[in-house]
Amino acid sequence: MTEAPRGTAVPLQAARRFSVAPMIDWTDRHCRYLHRLLTRHGLLFTEMITTGAVLHGDAARHLRFDPVEQPVALQLGGSDPADLAAATRLGEAYGYDEINLNVGCPSDRVQSGRFGACLMAEPDLVADCVRAMRAATDKPVTVKCRIGIDDQDIEESLDRFADTVVEAGIAALYVHARKAWLQGLSPKENRTIPPLNYERVYRLKRRLSHLPMMINGGIETFHEIGNHLEHMDGVMLGRAVYHNPMMLAEVDERLFGQAPSGLTLAEVMRAMADYAETQLSEGTRLNNIARHMLGLANGRPGARQFRQILSVDACKPKAGPEVFIHALAVVEDRAEAAAS
């Protein structure tokens, strides 16, 4: 049995050097457990969780996590200061290391609830939210935003937004280096069509040099990460590591100067099988875990069949951890055949 990861002692501010972005429907607790197997030092985020879900839904389902995931940040979506304060208190009670306010999500359902990227047009309201959140916790309160929305002038509007939330007392700022076009582009299109403008984020960091600031958007390689770290305090990657999670196995050594996790694909798969066995006994369905593991064998012989097994067999009634071992065996058999 592969030993589960233990919580890292790396300070939160140091962990922000590399973080995995909050991704709706993706970065749930099962995804984070997998990611923590691979990096012990990076900062992990929940998916965005609305204040309504936390305060009026099943709070335990949304907020519970395994302590081995730490350091982990809770990202909240909302625009009512009182609700955000209440949700922040719950987040602190569950043990999150940081509470982050989403001011970047461009989805229609987020706009209709008056939170996410549309709040970039209301920096004073965001500041009120930050103050209420800070009053509710001793944990760091941070914001994740875009460089602007729609027809905003990204020079004047981003500076005003940043200055306003800094005055409200944020501990750090995460900036996705794209505008969000709330009119005319879908959420998917907003991830790729608005042009990246890293230089604008660099200028913001130079102007607010005292504020820990991380950059996000379109970053895919360690070479790109290194370039950004010449200007920023940290980088945040999303889909690049979700679709190729074994990239995380290099993070501790390359970005933190620490020993890598050293886990092989076989060790990761066996650790996840052990994890799945425990989760299944608590009512979790195997496919809810397996769906985050599809990219683990990318680039290896048998990767397509590996994905197929995890996608199809994990959905079958009474599917258990043996599905993970079967998928691993396919890759190992193909590797052995290729070597002979």
Side-chain angles (χ1 to χ4, degrees), residues 106-308:
S107 77
D108 295 338
R109 60 177 174 167
V110 165
Q111 292 179 57
S112 65
R114 199 186 175 201
F115 52 90
C118 64
L119 286 175
M120 292 207 69
E122 301 184 76
D124 293 331
L125 174 58
V126 175
D128 289 341
C129 293
V130 168
R131 292 187 188 98
M133 294 166 71
R134 290 187 62 229
T137 183
D138 292 328
K139 300 292 185 179
V141 173
T142 63
V143 165
K144 185 173 188 291
C145 67
R146 295 278 186 133
I147 59 173
I149 57 172
D150 297 332
D151 293 321
Q152 281 185 333
D153 177 349
I154 62 170
E155 298 299 327
E156 186 278 331
S157 62
L158 181 59
D159 280 349
R160 178 173 178 243
F161 177 86
D163 289 346
T164 303
V165 295
V166 166
E167 185 179 355
I170 59 168
L173 184 65
Y174 302 80
V175 186
H176 186 143
R178 284 188 175 95
K179 266 191 174 185
W181 287 93
L182 305 182
Q183 304 296 325
L185 292 182
S186 70
K188 182 178 180 180
E189 290 169 333
N190 262 302
R191 293 196 293 267
T192 56
I193 291 179
L196 287 159
N197 191 336
Y198 297 133
E199 290 294 333
R200 178 63 187 98
V201 185
Y202 297 163
R203 290 198 298 276
L204 183 66
K205 172 58 187 175
R206 286 196 294 270
R207 196 173 67 81
L208 299 174
S209 59
H210 66 285
L211 180 71
M213 194 177 302
M214 283 56 67
I215 194 166
N216 172 226
I219 306 168
E220 297 184 349
T221 67
F222 283 103
H223 177 72
E224 292 168 337
I225 290 170
N227 289 341
H228 288 302
L229 288 175
E230 293 179 5
H231 306 274
M232 307 296 296
D233 299 297
V235 294
M236 173 181 273
L237 271 68
R239 283 159 180 79
V241 294
Y242 186 86
H243 292 305
N244 183 25
M246 289 302 290
M247 179 182 180
L248 293 173
E250 301 181 54
V251 163
D252 291 354
E253 182 177 29
R254 298 182 69 157
L255 300 181
F256 292 93
Q258 302 294 322
S261 69
L263 294 184
T264 63
L265 174 62
E267 290 169 328
V268 171
M269 294 301 290
R270 293 187 184 110
M272 291 306 293
D274 292 337
Y275 173 75
E277 186 171 4
T278 299
Q279 292 300 311
L280 292 173
S281 70
E282 298 175 3
T284 300
R285 292 176 58 88
L286 188 69
N287 64 297
N288 289 336
I289 301 170
R291 67 191 185 95
H292 302 301
M293 302 165 58
L294 302 181
L296 280 169
N298 282 355
R300 299 170 185 254
R304 182 177 179 181
Q305 191 175 354
F306 175 94
R307 291 191 298 271
Q308 186 176 39

